[in-house]
Amino acid sequence: MSLWQHIRRSALLLPLLLAACAGQGMQGASSERDIARVEAYFHTVDLKAAPFSQVWPDGAVGSGELAYHPGYLDMRFTAPHPMTLHAEGRHAVFTDSATGAETRIGLAHNPLGLLLDNPVHLGGAVTVTDIRHAPGVLQLSLARTDNPSQGLVTLRFRDSAARLALYEVRIVDERRRVTVITLGSG
């Protein structure tokens, strides 16, 4: 690998590493309360037939319905054509009905795996790298504690009357490709 390729690879990973380091300085009662609120949300969430839209890294858009509870995710795409993503525990299977292709994905090194523990725990193997507040919005970014360069997941919640409602999941993989999943009608 040439020096230029090493520099380019390092530059691509730098934002993920900086985000992970930024979270290490986050302490305090406010951050702990936010983390506890998000963990409580994931302990009780049980989405069924929730509409979603997704934008893939190449800009392509899909939509459908999903079901989620800790340890389980089932996405059924209706657009651009019928496809499914079923994830449980440490594995996911993506099936493309148009081509008949089936892809198995290990989640131990995939950012999506951060949300499939049961129960979801935002400590230990998961590091909260950033917490942000805006009027009516709480945003947390998560990475794997042992290898933050494997990807980053940013969760955006509507925060109203002390109740949280997840409305967006942004996944940045190890190659800095971004996938955005928006819950609801968009």
Side-chain angles (χ1 to χ4, degrees):
M1 184 178 284
S2 73
L3 177 61
W4 174 248
Q5 289 171 319
H6 280 293
I7 292 170
R8 185 169 174 222
R9 175 178 270 168
S10 297
L12 290 173
L13 294 176
L14 185 60
L16 290 174
L17 295 173
L18 290 175
C21 292
Q24 293 176 3
M26 276 186 334
Q27 298 298 325
S30 177
S31 295
E32 289 174 18
R33 273 193 305 274
D34 290 333
I35 291 169
R37 290 178 65 212
V38 170
E39 283 181 338
Y41 170 85
F42 279 109
H43 291 177
T44 61
V45 68
D46 189 11
L47 299 174
K48 295 177 182 156
F52 76 92
S53 62
Q54 178 171 320
V55 179
W56 280 280
D58 65 359
V61 178
S63 62
E65 291 184 337
L66 68 80
Y68 173 87
H69 58 79
Y72 174 87
L73 172 68
D74 190 59
M75 299 175 77
R76 298 192 178 275
F77 292 85
T78 54
H81 58 270
M83 300 178 281
T84 60
L85 174 72
H86 179 80
E88 207 163 352
R90 299 280 178 221
H91 295 42
V93 177
F94 181 79
T95 306
D96 186 332
S97 297
T99 64
E102 184 174 280
T103 305
R104 296 187 182 280
I105 305 163
L107 297 176
H109 302 288
N110 184 298
L112 180 60
L114 293 169
L115 301 176
L116 287 168
D117 283 339
N118 187 9
V120 172
H121 179 65
L122 304 181
V126 177
T127 297
V128 177
T129 63
D130 191 31
I131 299 175
R132 297 187 185 230
H133 295 269
V137 175
L138 173 62
Q139 176 179 300
L140 272 80
S141 294
L142 316 170
R144 292 201 180 280
T145 301
D146 63 347
N147 195 348
S149 65
Q150 288 177 343
L152 187 71
V153 174
T154 299
L155 307 170
R156 298 186 97 194
F157 295 88
R158 288 189 180 85
D159 188 358
S160 177
R163 294 177 55 107
L164 295 177
L166 182 65
Y167 73 91
E168 184 181 275
V169 178
R170 184 175 295 262
I171 301 170
V172 181
D173 70 14
E174 75 281 354
R175 292 187 228 155
R176 295 192 62 215
R177 297 178 301 190
V178 178
T179 300
V180 179
I181 301 166
T182 304
L183 299 176
S185 55

